[in-house]
Amino acid sequence: MVIWFQQFPPVTQALIATLFTWGVTALGASLVFFFKSINRNVLNGMLGFAAGVMIAASFWSLLAPAIDLSEEMGILPWIPAAVGFLAGGAFLFLVDKILPHLHLGLDVSEAEGIKTSWQRSILLVLAITLHNIPEGLAVGVAFGAVASGIPSASLAGAIALAIGIGLQNFPEGAAVSIPLRREGFSRTKSFVYGQASGIVEPIAGVIGAAAVIFMRPILPYALAFAAGAMIYVVVEELIPEAQQDKKTDIATIGCMVGFAVMMILDVALG
């Protein structure tokens, strides 16, 4: 797979990788053709798994290379890591306050962001879309880092990140489409809405890769920015959603497994 990727320019690599992650979102959304509901324990485990993957990816694939690159560039290594990380969280905080969205299991009156009359289905899709912006950005920046020649960044590692993000996108697609089906939408319409939440990943991936390639000095900040955005999503969205019930053990186990899987992928392939 690595050899096949090498024939493409970095931005194209990022596009292919994020099209894959979008495709896995669609694959998860396709479960609506087979199920009308999803067991809450299963959903909690999948959300916990997604959180674990994102936490591991934030360090192994983003923060660690940002620190290494800063040292190589003669910058105090903690400055880009801290500044970029906090900026990423601040960016998602602002988006969270502005973009109308609704979390799973909540009434439409509890929608966050700017008040709107949009339908519940749109608000649910936008909630998952919030997750996918930093994920696509992270994959794009990872491929851009490889093109910039960072010793700690490898093409195999960027591919591993895309695989990890893809794995955790599967439950996210299902988490949108199946609840919509339960609310009375047709299977086809539920699937279309579910996969649509992943469309921002190729867009964010291409932007991330292009930005760091043409502006190499910002690369350590961009890597840390993507990490901060993903951690914000984990703490603000995924973990609370996974632990809405009193049975939190399944979500916790899912998180541990997700972290281990992403760590293995990054260390083994990277």
Side-chain angles (χ1 to χ4, degrees):
M1 181 182 292
V2 174
I3 296 175
W4 181 78
F5 259 88
Q6 286 176 336
Q7 65 181 306
F8 301 106
V11 174
T12 305
Q13 292 173 352
L15 176 61
I16 293 171
T18 46
L19 285 174
F20 162 75
T21 60
W22 179 18
V24 180
T25 302
L27 189 62
S30 71
L31 291 180
V32 75
F33 292 108
F34 307 98
F35 305 99
K36 191 173 181 178
S37 63
I38 184 169
N39 183 277
R40 184 67 212 190
N41 287 334
V42 173
L43 179 61
N44 290 344
M46 292 193 301
L47 290 172
F49 179 87
V53 167
M54 293 177 72
I55 293 170
S58 295
F59 175 74
W60 297 100
S61 299
L62 299 169
L63 282 175
I67 293 170
D68 290 344
L69 179 60
S70 298
E71 292 177 335
E72 178 189 317
M73 297 171 67
I75 306 172
L76 283 174
W78 60 267
I79 293 179
V83 171
F85 184 84
L86 294 175
F91 171 74
L92 258 292
F93 174 82
L94 291 174
V95 174
D96 188 60
K97 297 303 179 186
I98 295 173
L99 184 68
H101 62 284
L102 178 67
H103 299 300
L104 295 172
L106 299 181
D107 186 80
V108 69
S109 62
E110 299 179 81
E112 298 180 22
I114 295 175
K115 297 303 179 183
T116 177
S117 59
W118 291 350
Q119 294 180 343
R120 176 182 175 86
S121 56
I122 299 297
L123 295 173
L124 284 169
V125 172
L126 289 176
I128 302 298
T129 301
L130 272 177
H131 302 182
N132 291 331
I133 293 172
E135 293 165 11
L137 182 64
V139 174
V141 169
F143 279 95
V146 176
S148 298
I150 303 176
S152 60
S154 68
L155 183 56
I159 294 172
L161 175 61
I163 293 173
I165 294 297
L167 288 175
Q168 63 91 42
N169 274 356
F170 184 84
E172 289 187 351
V176 176
S177 64
I178 292 177
L180 290 179
R181 173 61 179 161
R182 192 170 59 246
E183 292 185 12
F185 285 79
S186 69
R187 286 186 172 88
T188 300
K189 193 170 184 178
S190 298
F191 167 76
V192 170
Y193 277 125
Q195 63 81 36
S197 64
I199 196 171
V200 294
E201 291 199 4
I203 298 170
V206 169
I207 292 173
V212 299
I213 289 171
F214 293 111
M215 295 179 284
R216 191 176 188 276
I218 72 165
L219 182 50
Y221 295 92
L223 288 164
F225 181 95
M230 289 213 294
I231 292 297
Y232 182 91
V233 167
V234 170
V235 178
E236 173 72 11
E237 315 282 354
L238 291 180
I239 291 178
E241 286 178 16
Q243 299 199 347
Q244 285 182 1
D245 298 338
K246 293 181 180 180
K247 300 177 181 178
T248 60
D249 289 347
I250 294 176
T252 302
I253 292 170
C255 184
M256 297 292 291
V257 172
F259 186 98
V261 168
M262 186 64 237
M263 180 176 62
I264 292 169
L265 281 173
D266 193 87
V267 175
L269 298 181

